[in-house]
């Protein structure tokens, strides 16, 4: 619940400080889904303004689709307002590949799984994977932290974990 201007002012602090401080400026921003609660087009318009303001400061924004983003026919609004406008994509930096996946409906699906499998075979870099829905629904020993959304198909979860383990995936980030 941080006001947008507070975030934008924080980013500006990196431009007026020392070279050490400037070197710590974020290189890009990743949004892990649920940009809206109900797929409301007005929410996307507001997010688009905020996203544009961040990008105007030289920080590209990359988005992952969330389960709430596609409610009430929100899919077209998400594609039109959230960079890069597609739900499965990747890019590489010098030693790391960044994979953005679509599991906003609670599944990776066979088509996306196959695409990941193919992409991983041709990529020997360390990998980071970004998605919205976590693989598991809680934290051992902390029953109060059980999440209401997680990848519930245990067979698919096992396949995904196996694929990640065999292909140098170092970390998974979820919304």
């Amino acid at each position: 619940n941080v006001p947008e201007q507070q975030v934008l002012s924080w980013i500006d602090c990196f431009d007026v400080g020392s070279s050490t401080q400037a070197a710590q400026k974020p290189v890009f921003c990743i949004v892990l889904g649920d940009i809206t609660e109900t797929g409301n087009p007005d929410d996307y318009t507001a997010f688009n303004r905020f996203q544009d303001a961040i990008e105007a400061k030289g920080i590209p924004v990359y988005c992952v689709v969330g389960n709430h983003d596609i409610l009430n026919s929100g899919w077209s609004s998400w594609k039109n307002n959230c960079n890069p406008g597609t739900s499965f994509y990747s890019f590489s930096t010098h030693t790391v590949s960044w994979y953005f996946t679509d599991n906003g409906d609670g599944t990776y699906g066979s088509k996306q799984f196959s695409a990941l499998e193919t992409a991983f075979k041709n990529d020997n870099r360390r990998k980071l994977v970004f998605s919205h829905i976590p693989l598991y629904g809680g934290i051992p020993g902390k029953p109060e932290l059980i999440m209401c959304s997680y990848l519930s198909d245990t067979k698919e979860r096992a396949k995904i974990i196996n694929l990640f383990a065999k292909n140098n995936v170092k970390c998974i980030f979820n919304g």
Side-chain angles (χ1 to χ4, degrees):
N1 292 332
V2 176
E4 293 172 13
Q5 191 52 52
Q6 215 173 331
V7 173
L8 298 172
S9 295
W10 173 78
I11 293 169
D12 289 338
C13 290
F14 294 99
D15 293 330
V16 296
S18 65
S19 60
T20 302
Q21 189 173 354
Q24 294 174 352
K25 182 177 180 177
V27 177
F28 50 81
C29 172
I30 298 172
V31 179
L32 294 172
D34 282 356
I35 289 157
T36 177
E37 184 67 26
T38 62
N40 182 332
D42 291 340
D43 293 342
Y44 284 109
T45 301
F47 174 75
N48 195 264
R49 281 192 306 267
F50 184 51
Q51 176 178 252
D52 288 348
I54 291 172
E55 291 192 330
K57 295 179 179 300
I59 301 172
V61 176
Y62 300 97
C63 297
V64 170
V65 66
N67 57 317
H68 291 185
D69 297 330
I70 55 179
L71 293 175
N72 299 314
S73 303
W75 179 239
S76 62
S77 293
W78 188 89
K79 288 193 320 186
N80 292 330
N81 291 288
C82 300
N83 291 337
T86 185
S87 64
F88 176 69
Y89 59 100
S90 66
F91 64 84
S92 296
T93 53
H94 183 64
T95 61
V96 177
S97 291
W98 308 71
Y99 285 87
F100 299 80
T101 63
D102 178 355
N103 71 357
D105 63 356
T107 181
Y108 282 87
S110 60
K111 183 178 176 184
Q112 185 175 213
F113 182 87
S114 294
L116 271 171
E117 210 170 25
T118 300
F120 284 0
K121 282 180 188 173
N122 299 316
D123 182 0
N124 61 0
R125 292 178 184 89
R126 292 175 297 161
K127 297 165 189 67
L128 304 176
V129 175
F130 300 85
S131 62
H132 181 65
I133 305 287
L135 293 175
Y136 289 95
I139 297 174
K142 296 191 180 249
E144 71 278 9
L145 296 178
I146 291 176
M147 304 174 87
C148 58
S149 270
Y150 59 94
L151 203 63
S152 59
D153 182 332
T154 57
K155 289 179 182 179
E156 182 183 39
R157 181 173 45 221
K159 280 179 61 176
I160 289 288
I161 290 170
N162 188 46
L163 179 69
F164 290 174
K166 288 181 176 179
N167 288 281
N168 207 15
V169 172
K170 295 299 183 186
C171 195
I172 304 165
F173 298 86
N174 303 113

